[in-house]
Amino acid sequence: MSQRAKCPHCGKVVDFHNDFCTECWSHVKKGRVLSPEQISSSRETYAGIVARKKWDKEFERWQKLVMGPAVLLTIASIGWTVLTLPFALSGEFPWFWILLPGISLVGFALGGYLIGGCKALPASSVLLGLAALAYGYSGVESLLLELSKPRVSPGAAIKDIGSIVLCGMALVGAVQIFRLRSPDDKPLKTT
Protein backbone atom coordinates (compact mmCIF):
# COMPACT_ATOMS: atom_id res chain seq x y z
CA MET A 1 0.00 0.00 0.00
CA SER A 2 1.33 3.45 -0.89
CA GLN A 3 2.34 5.90 1.80
CA ARG A 4 -0.08 8.74 2.37
CA ALA A 5 1.33 12.24 1.95
CA LYS A 6 2.12 14.29 5.05
CA CYS A 7 2.20 18.03 5.38
CA PRO A 8 5.84 19.15 5.48
CA HIS A 9 4.99 21.92 7.96
CA CYS A 10 2.75 20.31 10.57
CA GLY A 11 3.34 16.58 9.84
CA LYS A 12 -0.36 15.66 9.64
CA VAL A 13 -1.57 13.13 7.04
CA VAL A 14 -3.20 14.91 4.10
CA ASP A 15 -6.20 13.32 2.38
CA PHE A 16 -6.34 13.38 -1.42
CA HIS A 17 -9.53 15.42 -1.50
CA ASN A 18 -7.95 18.31 0.41
CA ASP A 19 -5.82 20.46 -1.83
CA PHE A 20 -4.57 22.30 1.20
CA CYS A 21 -3.57 21.18 4.66
CA THR A 22 -6.43 21.97 6.97
CA GLU A 23 -4.22 21.80 10.06
CA CYS A 24 -1.86 24.69 9.27
CA TRP A 25 -2.26 28.03 7.56
CA SER A 26 0.97 27.82 5.60
CA HIS A 27 -0.56 25.95 2.67
CA VAL A 28 -3.64 28.08 2.56
CA LYS A 29 -1.32 31.00 1.78
CA LYS A 30 1.38 29.22 -0.27
CA GLY A 31 -0.53 26.66 -2.41
CA ARG A 32 -1.29 22.97 -2.89
CA VAL A 33 -0.06 20.22 -0.60
CA LEU A 34 -0.30 17.44 -3.20
CA SER A 35 0.59 17.44 -6.87
CA PRO A 36 -2.12 16.52 -9.42
CA GLU A 37 -0.39 13.15 -10.00
CA GLN A 38 -0.50 12.37 -6.27
CA ILE A 39 -4.17 13.34 -6.12
CA SER A 40 -5.11 11.08 -9.08
CA SER A 41 -3.02 8.21 -7.67
CA SER A 42 -4.74 8.54 -4.30
CA ARG A 43 -8.15 8.61 -5.98
CA GLU A 44 -7.34 5.39 -7.88
CA THR A 45 -6.21 3.72 -4.66
CA TYR A 46 -9.38 4.84 -2.92
CA ALA A 47 -11.55 3.57 -5.80
CA GLY A 48 -9.78 0.19 -5.53
CA ILE A 49 -10.47 0.03 -1.80
CA VAL A 50 -14.15 0.85 -2.37
CA ALA A 51 -14.41 -1.82 -5.10
CA ARG A 52 -12.79 -4.40 -2.81
CA LYS A 53 -15.19 -3.60 0.05
CA LYS A 54 -18.16 -3.91 -2.31
CA TRP A 55 -16.88 -7.28 -3.57
CA ASP A 56 -16.29 -8.51 0.00
CA LYS A 57 -19.84 -7.57 0.99
CA GLU A 58 -21.34 -9.33 -2.04
CA PHE A 59 -19.19 -12.42 -1.52
CA GLU A 60 -20.08 -12.59 2.16
CA ARG A 61 -23.78 -12.50 1.25
CA TRP A 62 -23.50 -15.51 -1.08
CA GLN A 63 -21.08 -17.31 1.22
CA LYS A 64 -23.64 -17.20 4.03
CA LEU A 65 -26.28 -18.63 1.68
CA VAL A 66 -24.02 -21.52 0.68
CA MET A 67 -22.47 -22.56 3.98
CA GLY A 68 -25.58 -23.78 5.84
CA PRO A 69 -26.84 -26.07 3.06
CA ALA A 70 -23.30 -27.28 2.35
CA VAL A 71 -22.83 -28.42 5.95
CA LEU A 72 -26.26 -30.06 6.19
CA LEU A 73 -25.92 -31.79 2.83
CA THR A 74 -22.40 -32.99 3.69
CA ILE A 75 -23.81 -34.72 6.76
CA ALA A 76 -26.68 -36.14 4.70
CA SER A 77 -24.22 -37.30 2.01
CA ILE A 78 -22.20 -39.17 4.63
CA GLY A 79 -25.34 -40.99 5.76
CA TRP A 80 -26.39 -41.62 2.16
CA THR A 81 -22.94 -43.06 1.32
CA VAL A 82 -22.96 -45.32 4.38
CA LEU A 83 -26.45 -46.61 3.56
CA THR A 84 -25.73 -47.13 -0.14
CA LEU A 85 -22.31 -48.76 0.10
CA PRO A 86 -23.43 -52.19 1.44
CA PHE A 87 -26.06 -52.51 -1.32
CA ALA A 88 -23.56 -51.51 -4.00
CA LEU A 89 -21.00 -54.01 -2.68
CA SER A 90 -23.55 -56.83 -2.62
CA GLY A 91 -24.59 -56.06 -6.17
CA GLU A 92 -28.19 -55.04 -5.45
CA PHE A 93 -27.58 -51.49 -6.69
CA PRO A 94 -25.59 -50.54 -9.76
CA TRP A 95 -22.29 -48.77 -9.10
CA PHE A 96 -23.78 -45.59 -10.54
CA TRP A 97 -25.74 -45.21 -7.30
CA ILE A 98 -22.57 -45.15 -5.23
CA LEU A 99 -21.11 -42.42 -7.46
CA LEU A 100 -23.91 -39.96 -6.66
CA PRO A 101 -23.36 -39.93 -2.89
CA GLY A 102 -19.59 -39.92 -3.45
CA ILE A 103 -19.76 -36.90 -5.77
CA SER A 104 -22.13 -35.16 -3.37
CA LEU A 105 -19.95 -35.87 -0.35
CA VAL A 106 -16.70 -34.68 -1.95
CA GLY A 107 -18.35 -31.67 -3.62
CA PHE A 108 -20.16 -30.39 -0.54
CA ALA A 109 -17.29 -31.07 1.87
CA LEU A 110 -14.42 -29.77 -0.25
CA GLY A 111 -16.38 -26.98 -1.98
CA GLY A 112 -17.83 -25.74 1.30
CA TYR A 113 -14.43 -25.85 2.97
CA LEU A 114 -12.80 -23.85 0.15
CA ILE A 115 -15.60 -21.29 -0.04
CA GLY A 116 -15.58 -20.91 3.74
CA GLY A 117 -11.84 -20.18 3.61
CA CYS A 118 -12.15 -17.93 0.53
CA LYS A 119 -9.76 -20.15 -1.44
CA ALA A 120 -9.98 -21.24 -5.09
CA LEU A 121 -13.46 -19.78 -5.50
CA PRO A 122 -14.12 -20.76 -9.14
CA ALA A 123 -13.06 -24.39 -8.55
CA SER A 124 -14.95 -24.67 -5.27
CA SER A 125 -18.07 -23.18 -6.88
CA VAL A 126 -17.93 -25.78 -9.64
CA LEU A 127 -17.51 -28.57 -7.07
CA LEU A 128 -20.41 -27.28 -5.03
CA GLY A 129 -22.58 -26.90 -8.14
CA LEU A 130 -21.87 -30.46 -9.28
CA ALA A 131 -22.64 -31.79 -5.82
CA ALA A 132 -25.91 -29.85 -5.70
CA LEU A 133 -26.92 -31.18 -9.12
CA ALA A 134 -26.07 -34.78 -8.18
CA TYR A 135 -27.86 -34.62 -4.83
CA GLY A 136 -30.76 -32.65 -6.31
CA TYR A 137 -31.19 -35.25 -9.07
CA SER A 138 -31.42 -38.04 -6.52
CA GLY A 139 -33.79 -35.95 -4.39
CA VAL A 140 -36.14 -35.31 -7.33
CA GLU A 141 -36.02 -38.97 -8.33
CA SER A 142 -36.71 -40.07 -4.74
CA LEU A 143 -39.62 -37.62 -4.48
CA LEU A 144 -41.15 -38.83 -7.75
CA LEU A 145 -40.76 -42.44 -6.61
CA GLU A 146 -42.41 -41.58 -3.30
CA LEU A 147 -45.30 -39.76 -4.98
CA SER A 148 -45.90 -42.67 -7.36
CA LYS A 149 -46.63 -45.01 -4.44
CA PRO A 150 -50.28 -45.59 -3.56
CA ARG A 151 -49.64 -44.61 0.03
CA VAL A 152 -47.36 -41.57 0.29
CA SER A 153 -45.26 -41.14 3.42
CA PRO A 154 -45.43 -37.45 4.39
CA GLY A 155 -42.13 -37.62 6.28
CA ALA A 156 -40.21 -39.00 3.30
CA ALA A 157 -41.80 -36.47 0.92
CA ILE A 158 -40.95 -33.57 3.25
CA LYS A 159 -37.37 -34.85 3.60
CA ASP A 160 -37.00 -35.03 -0.18
CA ILE A 161 -38.49 -31.55 -0.68
CA GLY A 162 -36.18 -30.16 2.01
CA SER A 163 -33.11 -31.70 0.38
CA ILE A 164 -34.18 -30.32 -3.03
CA VAL A 165 -34.57 -26.81 -1.53
CA LEU A 166 -31.15 -27.04 0.15
CA CYS A 167 -29.59 -28.20 -3.13
CA GLY A 168 -31.23 -25.27 -4.91
CA MET A 169 -29.85 -22.81 -2.35
CA ALA A 170 -26.36 -24.30 -2.65
CA LEU A 171 -26.53 -24.23 -6.45
CA VAL A 172 -27.71 -20.60 -6.62
CA GLY A 173 -25.02 -19.49 -4.17
CA ALA A 174 -22.30 -21.43 -6.00
CA VAL A 175 -23.28 -19.90 -9.35
CA GLN A 176 -23.32 -16.39 -7.88
CA ILE A 177 -19.90 -16.87 -6.27
CA PHE A 178 -18.58 -18.21 -9.59
CA ARG A 179 -19.92 -15.11 -11.37
CA LEU A 180 -18.31 -12.66 -8.93
CA ARG A 181 -15.16 -11.16 -10.32
CA SER A 182 -12.62 -10.18 -7.74
CA PRO A 183 -11.48 -6.56 -7.99
CA ASP A 184 -7.91 -7.93 -7.93
CA ASP A 185 -8.50 -9.77 -11.23
CA LYS A 186 -7.24 -8.07 -14.33
CA PRO A 187 -10.01 -7.26 -16.80
CA LEU A 188 -9.95 -9.24 -20.03
CA LYS A 189 -8.70 -7.31 -23.02
CA THR A 190 -11.30 -7.00 -25.77
CA THR A 191 -10.00 -5.69 -29.04
Side-chain angles (χ1 to χ4, degrees):
M1 188 154 168
S2 61
Q3 288 280 0
R4 295 177 66 188
K6 292 187 178 182
C7 174
H9 295 103
C10 65
K12 300 280 184 181
V13 173
V14 180
D15 291 327
F16 71 88
H17 52 78
N18 292 329
D19 288 343
F20 304 100
C21 180
T22 57
E23 299 297 322
C24 68
W25 287 98
S26 175
H27 290 290
V28 174
K29 294 177 182 173
K30 293 181 181 178
R32 292 178 176 267
V33 175
L34 301 176
S35 69
E37 293 84 23
Q38 290 173 318
I39 292 172
S40 65
S41 172
S42 296
R43 284 186 175 145
E44 289 173 8
T45 303
Y46 181 71
I49 291 169
V50 168
R52 182 64 190 196
K53 284 182 181 179
K54 182 180 176 186
W55 184 88
D56 285 341
K57 184 178 178 183
E58 190 72 18
F59 172 70
E60 187 178 332
R61 173 182 167 205
W62 295 113
Q63 184 185 34
K64 285 180 182 177
L65 177 74
V66 165
M67 290 311 293
V71 169
L72 293 174
L73 291 170
T74 300
I75 295 168
S77 296
I78 291 170
W80 186 21
T81 305
V82 168
L83 291 175
T84 309
L85 188 60
F87 295 109
L89 291 175
S90 67
E92 292 179 36
F93 282 170
W95 277 99
F96 170 74
W97 281 106
I98 197 61
L99 287 178
L100 284 178
I103 290 170
S104 299
L105 179 58
V106 169
F108 286 126
L110 188 59
Y113 171 74
L114 290 175
I115 284 178
C118 305
K119 302 174 187 171
L121 295 180
S124 59
S125 297
V126 169
L127 277 172
L128 209 56
L130 288 174
L133 288 174
Y135 202 107
Y137 168 77
S138 70
V140 169
E141 188 174 4
S142 176
L143 180 63
L144 292 176
L145 186 67
E146 186 64 37
L147 293 176
S148 67
K149 292 179 182 177
R151 185 175 167 135
V152 177
S153 169
I158 290 172
K159 178 190 74 72
D160 291 336
I161 291 170
S163 67
I164 292 169
V165 168
L166 289 175
C167 287
M169 289 171 61
L171 185 61
V172 166
V175 168
Q176 292 299 330
I177 289 172
F178 185 78
R179 290 180 60 205
L180 278 178
R181 286 191 50 82
S182 173
D184 301 332
D185 294 343
K186 303 275 190 244
L188 298 175
K189 291 183 180 178
T190 55
T191 55

